Amino acid sequence: METLGKDIKKLGFGLMRLPQKEGKVDVEQVKIMVDRFLDAGFTYFDTAWAYAGSEDAIRTALVERYPRERFQLATKNAAWIDCKTREEAIKQFDTSLKQTGAGYFDFYLLHNLGENRTKVFDDYDMWSWVQEKKEEGLIKHAGFSFHSTADELEAILTAHPEMEFVQLQINYADWDNPSIQSRSCYEVARKHKKPVIIMEPVKGGMLATPPAPVQKVLQEADPGASNASWAIRYAADLEGVITVLSGMSSLEQMEDNLSFMKTFKGLSAEEKGVIERARDALCRIPLISCTTCDYCAKVCPMNIGISGSFTAMNQLTLFNQKEAAASQEEWLVNGHGKKRASECIKCGKCEEVCPQHISIIRELEKVSQTFS
């Protein structure tokens, strides 16, 4: 498995955040970006059934304009989105084939495994189905994308050694983040000898404009290098990586990425030291010291999403992007069936069991004021 994708360059075109015009994907702009990407020698494109307008856009901008052997196309199956039966889940594949016009997919992923989402793929036995599609030649390589704990990833890869690769969220900010577990998940994938495709190397664009102390470290090291370049090169330097996906939404972002990835051969020891200093600067920013152990959740009589609230609050502190942090709070709290910070009854049971001795009641009040 380690040789999978060895001929693929280390920058992939993520098609989730495509340029928009009048509320729709700007296909003409995407055509220009596709041309530049291929001209620079890059070939990997990543879309998904769940990315609105993306599969149609890449059909028009790429599939209908270039020979099929010129590129690799990946898409994904999100069986946990409104699928009541196995047939409905499988139908996503047929829709993707039609929308992309690709004929087959070089890489096909079961999309966003982890937590209760994994059970849907188990219940519908999507594991054997995806192997059937491989045998039919409609899928070249089968894998999955994953957003959860290293323990869950260990269980999935143990149960399904037939999966050829895994797509993980990895960036220098999340490397030791207890809620993302980038390092631990990467190490599990390496243990199972599964090559990795990296998503969110710039953490949804946040590392393009990191906190001031981090920017200072990066800019002093190389005033001519963009903040995003450090993040993408960090990810691309890891062993066992097929490619690093960058969700490029403008030609300017693409030109920047191509400028440093076209000849990328790895990070020097000095450059690795710069990123370590940047990470240290990030760690020195005062945050709520939550490790998401969720002992508090076990005793909370109101089922408050405490750790999710704190993760969102820390994201706001780090990156000062309230809309993104509010979206994180919505997903980690409401999206996981928890109640919001404003419903805390201040009973104090959580504080009695918190290993980090966090003043949880006080911090939840701040969360409530911020995201109410």
Side-chain angles (χ1 to χ4, degrees), residues 144-215:
F144 60 93
S145 62
F146 182 81
H147 286 278
S148 195
T149 66
D151 286 345
E152 280 194 70
L153 181 59
E154 173 71 38
I156 293 171
L157 288 177
T158 300
H160 298 285
E162 74 277 9
M163 300 306 274
E164 298 173 80
F165 66 95
V166 61
Q167 187 162 302
L168 299 173
Q169 176 172 327
I170 295 177
N171 55 68
Y172 69 79
D174 288 329
W175 189 239
D176 289 312
N177 182 334
S179 65
I180 306 296
Q181 300 188 15
S182 283
R183 180 206 292 267
S184 299
C185 287
Y186 170 74
E187 289 173 349
V188 168
R190 296 296 294 156
K191 171 187 164 186
H192 285 266
K193 295 182 168 54
K194 303 299 181 186
V196 174
I197 294 171
I198 291 179
M199 56 183 161
E200 303 293 359
V202 194
K203 198 172 171 64
M206 292 180 188
L207 295 180
T209 54
V214 177
Q215 290 203 53

Side-chain angles (χ1 to χ4, degrees), residues 54-349:
S54 179
E55 290 185 332
D56 285 310
I58 208 61
R59 181 191 68 250
T60 304
L62 173 69
V63 178
E64 294 177 350
R65 299 173 63 238
Y66 287 93
R68 184 61 183 85
E69 64 275 9
R70 181 82 187 273
F71 57 88
Q72 297 89 31
L73 183 62
T75 195
K76 311 179 189 78
N77 183 297
W80 44 273
I81 298 181
D82 297 330
C83 291
K84 303 294 190 296
T85 64
R86 186 174 194 256
E87 288 67 34
E88 288 181 359
I90 290 171
K91 191 176 179 182
Q92 285 187 20
F93 180 80
D94 298 325
T95 300
S96 291
L97 275 180
K98 181 179 179 181
Q99 290 183 160
T100 62
Y104 64 90
F105 296 110
D106 302 273
F107 291 76
Y108 194 77
L109 296 87
L110 304 183
H111 191 184
N112 193 10
L113 272 70
E115 301 173 333
N116 60 347
R117 299 179 300 279
T118 304
K119 186 177 185 299
V120 180
F121 293 98
D122 292 341
D123 288 348
Y124 296 158
D125 191 18
M126 300 299 286
W127 308 100
S128 62
W129 168 80
V130 81
Q131 296 304 314
E132 291 169 8
K133 292 299 167 186
K134 274 189 67 179
E135 292 172 8
E136 294 172 19
L138 296 175
I139 294 171
K140 301 299 183 185
H141 303 291
F144 60 93
S145 62
F146 182 81
H147 286 278
S148 195
T149 66
D151 286 345
E152 280 194 70
L153 181 59
E154 173 71 38
I156 293 171
L157 288 177
T158 300
H160 298 285
E162 74 277 9
M163 300 306 274
E164 298 173 80
F165 66 95
V166 61
Q167 187 162 302
L168 299 173
Q169 176 172 327
I170 295 177
N171 55 68
Y172 69 79
D174 288 329
W175 189 239
D176 289 312
N177 182 334
S179 65
I180 306 296
Q181 300 188 15
S182 283
R183 180 206 292 267
S184 299
C185 287
Y186 170 74
E187 289 173 349
V188 168
R190 296 296 294 156
K191 171 187 164 186
H192 285 266
K193 295 182 168 54
K194 303 299 181 186
V196 174
I197 294 171
I198 291 179
M199 56 183 161
E200 303 293 359
V202 194
K203 198 172 171 64
M206 292 180 188
L207 295 180
T209 54
V214 177
Q215 290 203 53
K216 186 173 185 290
V217 171
L218 301 180
Q219 292 301 303
E220 285 180 352
D222 185 352
S226 67
N227 296 318
S229 75
W230 288 100
I232 291 174
R233 286 181 293 153
Y234 168 81
D237 189 62
L238 293 169
E239 291 183 3
V241 169
I242 294 174
T243 196
V244 177
L245 302 175
S246 177
M248 294 171 270
S249 54
S250 70
L251 187 58
E252 290 74 22
Q253 290 175 2
M254 172 160 284
E255 293 292 0
D256 179 47
N257 287 347
L258 295 179
S259 71
F260 58 81
M261 287 302 293
K262 193 171 182 179
T263 57
F264 180 72
K265 300 296 184 186
L267 291 174
S268 66
E270 183 180 353
E271 289 170 326
K272 290 178 182 178
V274 171
I275 292 175
E276 282 299 322
R277 293 198 298 277
R279 186 188 286 127
D280 289 343
L282 202 60
C283 291
R284 284 195 294 272
I285 296 172
L287 301 172
I288 303 169
S289 57
C290 176
T291 63
T292 66
C293 71
D294 278 336
Y295 291 164
C296 55
K298 293 177 172 62
V299 299
C300 177
M302 296 300 291
N303 192 33
I304 305 295
I306 298 172
S307 64
S309 297
F310 290 170
T311 296
M313 198 69 175
N314 284 341
Q315 180 170 310
L316 178 62
T317 300
L318 285 171
F319 301 104
N320 197 31
Q321 296 184 15
K322 188 167 183 179
E323 185 177 345
S327 176
Q328 181 87 323
E329 189 256 358
E330 170 67 25
W331 165 242
L332 292 176
V333 179
N334 288 351
H336 284 69
K338 301 287 187 178
K339 292 183 179 177
R340 302 188 71 190
S342 58
E343 297 188 60
C344 172
I345 59 174
K346 302 178 175 59
C347 68
K349 291 182 178 179

